[in-house]
Amino acid sequence: MRYRRKSNQFTNKTQASAKEPPSPAKPESSSSDILNCNLKANLQQIKKMLGNSTDIIIREVPVSGSKEPSIAVIYTDGLADPKEINNSIMRPISSISEGYKDGSSCSSPLNGQHLLDDITSGLKDFSEVQDYTSLLHDLLSGDTILLFEGLNKGISVSTPGWKDRGVTETSAENVVRGPREAFSESIRTNTALVRRKIKDPDLRLETQQIGRRTQTNVGIMFIQGIANEKIVQEVRDRLAVIDVDGILESGYIEEIIQDKTLTPFPTIYNTERPDVVAAELLEGKVVILVDGTPIVLVVPALFVSFLHAAEDYYQRADISSFLRMLRYLSIFISLLAPSLYVAISTFHQEMLPTQLLFGLASQREQIPFPAFVEALLMELTFEILREAGVRLPKNIGSAISIVGTLVIGQAAVEAGIISAAMVIVVATTAISSFVLPSFNMSIAFRMLRFPLMLLAGSFGLFGIFIGVTTLILHLCSLRSFGIPYMAPFAPLIPDGQKDAIIRLPHWLLLTRPRIINKKNMTRRKSTPPEKSRE
């Protein structure tokens, strides 16, 4: 189901619900869901519920010389670590002294309880399970289940053993200077990477399972006292209404909980860098982690966030400000360059210098198509080549895209299908679109390029003016979890300009973004670096 907002304001909640996180809803256990005190009955029910799956390993162990099994060890092959099971579970069971008698009824489970106590005395990470629902959830999450004859409860021992990718270098958000580590597919590894950056006891983590079939672990991280409680509660509310079969990637959640779907612009920021997530948490934002993907969501998202790179805060302020201004310039080039070429060459030739006008006219003398069709053909061809380069194997993808673009462009110019000036415009536009740090934002401007070309081919510069005005009004109408998308530009917040287009030195960034939170604003003392060194 899709989440729909009733208004652009936060959902009204009572003061108590805003302060205390709601406890995750747990299904009420029916009488048929409670574990049986008979071990064989429990094992038969587990086999029935799992359909006798061959990757579910059940080891029945008799104790005290009994012929009938007294303990059952159950785990999922491939998810649990066999070495950990043998060392932490099977060896203690085999070393238990004799003298136990099998409990035969739930009314007198004394011996079974003593057996459970002796086994758990040497375990560190375990919990009790009393129903089949929680038992199956832990079993399919990589834990090992121990069931006992005569007890209508068991224990779940943490023995994860699946293979993960580990912490590697980021592939999509590269930097020249800065950390090289990236998130992995394990949510516990990802939370540990964030904890390593922020050693603050106020850093909170709330975990819940989403997806009726996948039961995917989804975590919410925020810093208590810095994050806006209304935004944190809004995140909880939107996640609580998700009712789907499965969550396989954070993109599922992003599409469901976003504020507005009728827009090409992303309203939820995503990253695979732990340092970026730590910086966003320190600004008062909320982070959503999903097990099984290295892409982490950050809310609320502002337009300026998609134009900032992690390296902006590792270089000097003047260098970072220059690079940011280049990115803003690249936005206008990637969005408007083909449209301006079409409009000027079709309707406003008087704007060009005479020599340049004669040169373009001589190039277009043999071109059979109007400028709009010429630009449309080249842009579509380049987008197809770019997508092919992404989908092809890495060792040949970049070569195919570059060679294909050069060969097709040169052949099209020699065949008289397009002009050389159009090749220059399209190439400049494509290079400018690669400058944006965010892939989602780059796609949005690539998509909007085509309707702007249509307006330019129909009405000239007036069409471009109408399209850009509509685009600005649309951006100003967007919100991300109740926060204006274009802040600090619209509404204009003078204090927010210190880290928008330009970045002031770190010793001048005294406060956090005011638009997100209005409490605990101070980042550091307002002491100039010269005074602090004295």
Side-chain angles (χ1 to χ4, degrees), residues 36-43 60-61 63 66 68-72 101-106 108-113 115-116 146-153:
N36 198 300
C37 62
N38 186 280
L39 182 60
K40 287 187 176 181
N42 287 330
L43 297 180
E60 302 179 27
V61 182
V63 177
S66 174
E68 296 295 328
S70 301
I71 305 175
K101 297 181 180 179
D102 296 335
S104 57
S105 65
C106 291
S108 59
L110 182 60
N111 293 331
Q113 183 64 49
L115 184 60
L116 185 149
L146 272 68
L147 297 179
F148 302 87
E149 178 66 36
L151 283 180
N152 57 351
K153 64 180 179 180

Side-chain angles (χ1 to χ4, degrees), residues 465-496:
F465 177 79
I466 293 173
V468 172
T469 303
T470 304
L471 179 60
I472 294 175
L473 293 175
H474 172 70
L475 285 170
C476 293
S477 69
L478 295 178
R479 285 179 174 265
S480 178
F481 283 76
I483 304 299
Y485 190 62
M486 290 302 294
F489 304 127
L492 181 63
I493 304 174
D495 185 62

